[in-house]
Amino acid sequence: MNGGPSGFTNAPVTRLFIVASAIFTIFFGIQGRFGTLGLSYQDIFGKIRLWKLIMSIFSFSSTPELMFGLYLLYYFRVFERQIGSNKYSVFIVFSILTSLLLEVLAVALLKDPTANLVTPGPYGLIFASFVPFFFDIPVSTRFRVFSFFFSNKSFIYLAGVQLLLSSWKRSILPGMCGILAGSLYRLNVFYIRKAKFPEFISSFFSRITLPSMGSPHATSSSSTRHSVGNLPSYPARQMERNYPPPMQSAVEPSEDSINTLVSMGFDRNNARQALVQARNDVNVATNILLEAQSH
């Protein structure tokens, strides 16, 4: 399934989070300290270990979990492109803190001082992202394998199930807490969906992130990642004000390109019109749609 333009175009926060998660996981893996991570009753209500709490947010406990986790985080960069880096940062903080609070409550109720009840890793963020994935990302293709029916979203769900069951009870608990956190965000509890960080914080993180790995066409309009919203439909004439009309010899956009934009949440007709103007360049078409939303 496609998550839009390749690389981290218009997704600097996702890039920073993935890099941090990979570094922390490799660091603890090299030192053989995976067993020291995870949350237990003693870590919270006994001898409080703040460093362990923070590291457990980023570091996975095994290589398979790292691979599936980073794959899902990389795909879910589509949400940062939709709502903008500032609001996506709010989503990350809200998901992590809310799921962490729910995990602490669950550990307190279970009261098992001898076991790590919660596996480490950004499970809260990953499984919170499945909520908008379920509701907001449309199915663009369906296919059948033997007697089983699949869609372009099936492989993301399968990767999520694999990660959810990777450590059995220890991973199911944070996964369910993440889904609850994502549901609370979608319900707009405390009007969280309207919240934004101050601009100086956004500017700070934009300066410390690495250069974009995306297409140079898309990076030229990286400021449009703050355009956001619920992706309403925009008339073609609005996009034509920002970009010149296509050449008469422009070919009809390919179905794969249209499906790529639709999977990012854009309206199908707008996606087709943008691709015609962009001469079937998905990166340029993405920028046309994002800029149209910002007006």
Side-chain angles (χ1 to χ4, degrees), residues 9 13 19 31 41-42 59 62 88 90 101 106 114 121 129 140 143 156 162 169 174 229 239 242 254 263 271 292:
T9 303
V13 175
V19 170
Q31 294 195 339
Y41 186 87
Q42 289 295 330
S59 179
S62 67
Y88 187 68
V90 174
L101 177 61
T114 62
S129 300
S140 57
F143 56 94
I156 303 299
Q162 172 64 35
K169 294 180 180 179
M239 293 186 290
N242 301 317
S254 67
S263 71

Side-chain angles (χ1 to χ4, degrees), residues 150-162:
F150 296 91
S151 73
N152 59 316
K153 298 174 66 173
S154 298
F155 296 107
I156 303 299
Y157 286 125
L158 290 174
V161 171
Q162 172 64 35

Side-chain angles (χ1 to χ4, degrees), residues 157-236:
Y157 286 125
L158 290 174
V161 171
Q162 172 64 35
L163 187 62
L164 185 68
L165 302 178
S166 58
S167 296
W168 194 224
K169 294 180 180 179
R170 296 177 65 238
S171 55
I172 290 177
L173 178 58
M176 297 306 296
C177 291
I179 293 174
L180 288 174
S183 300
L184 291 174
Y185 183 88
R186 183 171 182 81
L187 292 172
N188 202 20
V189 176
F190 304 123
Y191 301 101
I192 187 63
R193 297 178 69 172
K194 295 183 179 180
K196 284 186 176 183
F197 285 116
E199 284 303 320
F200 74 90
I201 295 180
S202 303
S203 300
F204 171 75
F205 280 105
S206 66
R207 286 196 296 268
I208 66 173
T209 51
L210 301 173
S212 175
M213 301 177 187
S215 166
H217 296 295
T219 55
S220 64
S221 299
S222 60
S223 61
T224 61
R225 63 179 175 270
H226 300 288
S227 60
V228 119
N230 293 323
L231 303 176
S233 177
Y234 291 87

Side-chain angles (χ1 to χ4, degrees), residues 34 37-40 56-57 59-62 65 103 107 116-124 127 163-175:
F34 279 145
L37 299 176
L39 295 181
S40 66
S56 294
I57 293 174
S59 179
F60 291 96
S61 62
S62 67
E65 290 178 35
E103 290 167 17
V107 170
N116 281 351
L117 298 175
V118 180
T119 192
Y123 282 76
F127 286 95
L163 187 62
L164 185 68
L165 302 178
S166 58
S167 296
W168 194 224
K169 294 180 180 179
R170 296 177 65 238
S171 55
I172 290 177
L173 178 58

Side-chain angles (χ1 to χ4, degrees), residues 7-21 69-81 84-85 88-89 92 125 129 209 225:
F8 293 101
T9 303
N10 295 335
V13 175
T14 300
R15 177 178 60 223
L16 185 62
F17 196 95
I18 286 179
V19 170
S21 183
L70 294 189
Y71 167 71
L72 290 170
L73 287 171
Y74 178 73
Y75 173 78
F76 289 142
R77 75 198 188 282
V78 65
F79 299 125
E80 181 177 358
R81 290 169 174 169
S85 297
Y88 187 68
S89 299
I92 289 177
L125 171 60
S129 300
T209 51
R225 63 179 175 270

Side-chain angles (χ1 to χ4, degrees), residues 15-36:
R15 177 178 60 223
L16 185 62
F17 196 95
I18 286 179
V19 170
S21 183
I23 289 175
F24 283 123
T25 302
I26 294 172
F27 174 77
F28 282 100
I30 291 175
Q31 294 195 339
R33 298 175 62 184
F34 279 145
T36 64

